Amino acid sequence: MKQVHLRLEDNQYKEIAEYAKGAGMTVQDAISTALYVMLSRQKKQKKNRKFTFIDLFAGIGGMRLAFDEAGGECVYSNEWNKFSQQTYMANFGDMPDGDITQVNAADIPDHDILVAGFPCQPFSIAGVSKKNSLGRATGFADKTQGTLFFDVCRILEAKRPKAFMLENVKNLCSHDRGRTFKVIVESLNELDYEIFYKVIDGQSFVPQHRERIIIVGFDRRRYGNYFDFEFDITPKEPKPVIADILEKDVDIKYTLSDKLWTYLQQYAAKHKAAGNGFGFGIAPLDGVSRTLSARYYKDGSEVLIEQPGKNPRKLTPRECARLQGFPDSFVIPVSDTQAYKQFGNSVVVPLMANVAKLVVAKIEQLEE
């Protein structure tokens, strides 16, 4: 890490310090972020973009990286978590809007593609059958009101982009005995979008077993519904393995303490004796790891790296970034704890980029 000494006028320092305090940042982070913003804006001016998109429930921008790579320009982003906002700002030069439920859909810029990794909240369809019995109409607003998926729907209805791409956990399909996913599909169909979806494992692109459902849709009012869409992804070759993402010199602080390592072994033995599969996971250097989760900051137990003559260690934040396919140029401006949460909640970037290019290619084909 390089150090640069700056001279600031008293009034300049005061303004920066006040801004940093309000944003929950240090003065140093505020100045670094300002420089990233300047560089990001210069890069944007040089790029010739072929479509626009918005980035909802943006996290730290994994989906944005994917659609940037596909040739898009992000015209709006939204993310409520302040630490994720900080990371997003440091990398893209844009501060995402906050609470999506308070955003007027009409104020969002027009765009070609809506992108969202929306949270999977419980969907309440209680009362729908009662409304039917009373002869009242029910639609997506009735079914999804009170969930964040409703905000995706109302923006789709208001802005009618050409297409959308949504990402969620694999279990979305089976949540509430399939009723949740049925509501999602019905709601998108009622908005007049032709829907395609598939569960895809990210290990085709990174050394991690990570299954996620990807839902894409195309505007029937523009393109009709007599077409198909294939998730014809192109796996990375050669297939990546854990050894590919490891750093050479790792701080001893990432090595598990004797107390934690003893606890994890005892915990695993207890569950094995009970016939359960719970326990820590040593990632094979020539294979793939378990799924990285947002709880990784607690003990790192799901993905541990073996060390000769020592206790296993956790992945470093940079290794977690690589495990999700983020480039090494991606800035990590937050604490290790926040970084683990952010990468655990993120997407496999090269997989999303692969599907993003397929969505863009399909739009171009439909518009020929």
Side-chain angles (χ1 to χ4, degrees):
M1 182 177 287
K2 305 295 183 185
Q3 289 188 346
V4 177
H5 296 279
L6 292 175
R7 258 182 213 188
L8 298 171
E9 299 292 339
D10 288 344
N11 63 322
Q12 291 175 323
Y13 181 84
K14 183 179 178 182
E15 287 184 21
I16 293 172
E18 288 176 353
Y19 170 81
K21 184 178 180 181
M25 306 165 65
T26 64
V27 171
Q28 178 179 317
D29 286 341
I31 293 172
S32 298
T33 298
L35 291 172
Y36 284 126
V37 171
M38 179 187 72
L39 293 171
S40 178
R41 286 176 179 168
Q42 287 182 339
K43 289 177 183 177
K44 282 181 183 178
Q45 291 172 358
K46 295 176 183 177
K47 291 179 180 177
N48 181 22
R49 297 303 194 177
K50 58 184 181 181
F51 67 91
T52 58
F53 68 96
I54 64 171
D55 192 13
L56 305 181
F57 310 104
I60 57 175
M63 296 283 265
R64 176 161 178 167
L65 285 174
F67 277 83
D68 278 350
E69 187 179 323
E73 176 187 357
C74 184
V75 294
Y76 175 80
S77 58
N78 191 287
E79 168 57 45
W80 71 274
N81 182 276
K82 70 176 183 178
F83 297 107
S84 293
Q85 286 180 331
Q86 185 179 343
T87 300
Y88 198 98
M89 178 78 162
N91 285 280
F92 303 106
D94 294 333
M95 178 60 78
D97 260 358
D99 187 354
I100 189 66
T101 66
Q102 302 303 309
V103 175
N104 185 344
D107 294 336
I108 293 176
D110 292 339
H111 51 279
D112 297 314
I113 303 174
L114 179 149
V115 179
F118 69 96
C120 176
Q121 296 173 300
F123 277 57
S124 174
I125 57 173
V128 172
S129 59
K130 182 179 179 181
K131 287 183 180 181
N132 284 334
S133 68
L134 294 173
R136 296 180 187 172
T138 61
F140 76 88
D142 290 306
K143 296 174 185 174
T144 64
Q145 185 77 55
T147 73
L148 293 174
F149 176 69
F150 168 73
D151 294 288
V152 173
C153 291
R154 67 184 178 86
I155 293 168
L156 284 172
E157 185 180 43
K159 306 306 294 189
R160 292 219 64 84
K162 297 176 180 178
F164 64 77
M165 177 170 156
L166 311 179
E167 179 269 350
N168 212 297
V169 295
K170 173 189 176 182
N171 290 344
L172 181 68
C173 297
S174 56
H175 183 268
D176 194 21
R177 299 181 182 178
R179 286 191 284 259
T180 295
F181 192 64
K182 181 181 178 184
V183 169
I184 287 173
V185 172
E186 286 178 352
S187 300
L188 296 171
N189 268 313
E190 288 175 23
L191 287 169
D192 239 354
Y193 280 87
E194 190 72 3
I195 314 303
F196 306 91
Y197 55 88
K198 186 175 183 179
V199 173
I200 307 178
D201 195 331
Q203 67 175 300
S204 294
F205 299 90
V206 295
Q208 177 191 181
H209 173 59
R210 192 180 189 87
E211 291 181 297
R212 291 294 183 268
I213 186 167
I214 300 176
I215 310 169
V216 301
F218 301 89
D219 185 9
R220 289 194 194 111
R221 298 178 193 175
R222 279 188 176 92
Y223 309 124
N225 60 349
Y226 297 104
F227 62 89
D228 200 1
F229 176 83
E230 296 292 335
F231 289 88
D232 190 17
I233 62 170
T234 305
K236 184 177 179 180
E237 293 291 346
K239 187 180 172 82
V241 296
I242 286 294
D244 298 333
I245 62 123
L246 299 183
E247 295 189 271
K248 288 186 174 62
D249 299 311
V250 176
D251 195 299
I252 195 171
K253 70 179 182 179
Y254 297 106
T255 296
L256 300 189
S257 67
D258 290 340
K259 181 178 179 181
L260 178 55
W261 180 223
T262 298
Y263 167 76
L264 290 178
Q265 292 178 92
Q266 291 175 344
Y267 182 85
K270 175 184 173 183
H271 280 280
K272 184 177 181 181
N276 299 325
F278 300 106
F280 61 85
I282 300 291
L285 297 185
D286 60 351
V288 301
S289 74
R290 293 181 181 179
T291 302
L292 185 71
S293 73
R295 70 168 299 283
Y296 192 74
Y297 73 96
K298 292 183 178 181
D299 54 29
S301 61
E302 64 258 44
V303 187
L304 294 174
I305 303 301
E306 209 161 34
Q307 300 185 105
K310 290 194 247 181
N311 295 342
R313 69 170 179 86
K314 296 193 296 186
L315 296 173
T316 67
R318 178 57 64 192
E319 289 169 339
C320 288
R322 292 174 180 174
L323 193 61
Q324 293 283 46
F326 283 78
D328 280 356
S329 58
F330 192 82
V331 180
I332 307 174
V334 294
S335 68
D336 283 4
T337 295
Q338 291 301 326
Y340 286 137
K341 289 180 180 179
Q342 290 174 2
F343 291 116
N345 274 326
S346 194
V347 297
V348 173
V349 175
L351 167 59
M352 298 305 152
N354 211 273
V355 179
K357 289 171 186 173
L358 294 174
V359 171
V360 173
K362 191 64 182 182
I363 291 173
E364 292 173 345
Q365 180 191 53
L366 291 169
E367 294 185 345
E368 286 179 353

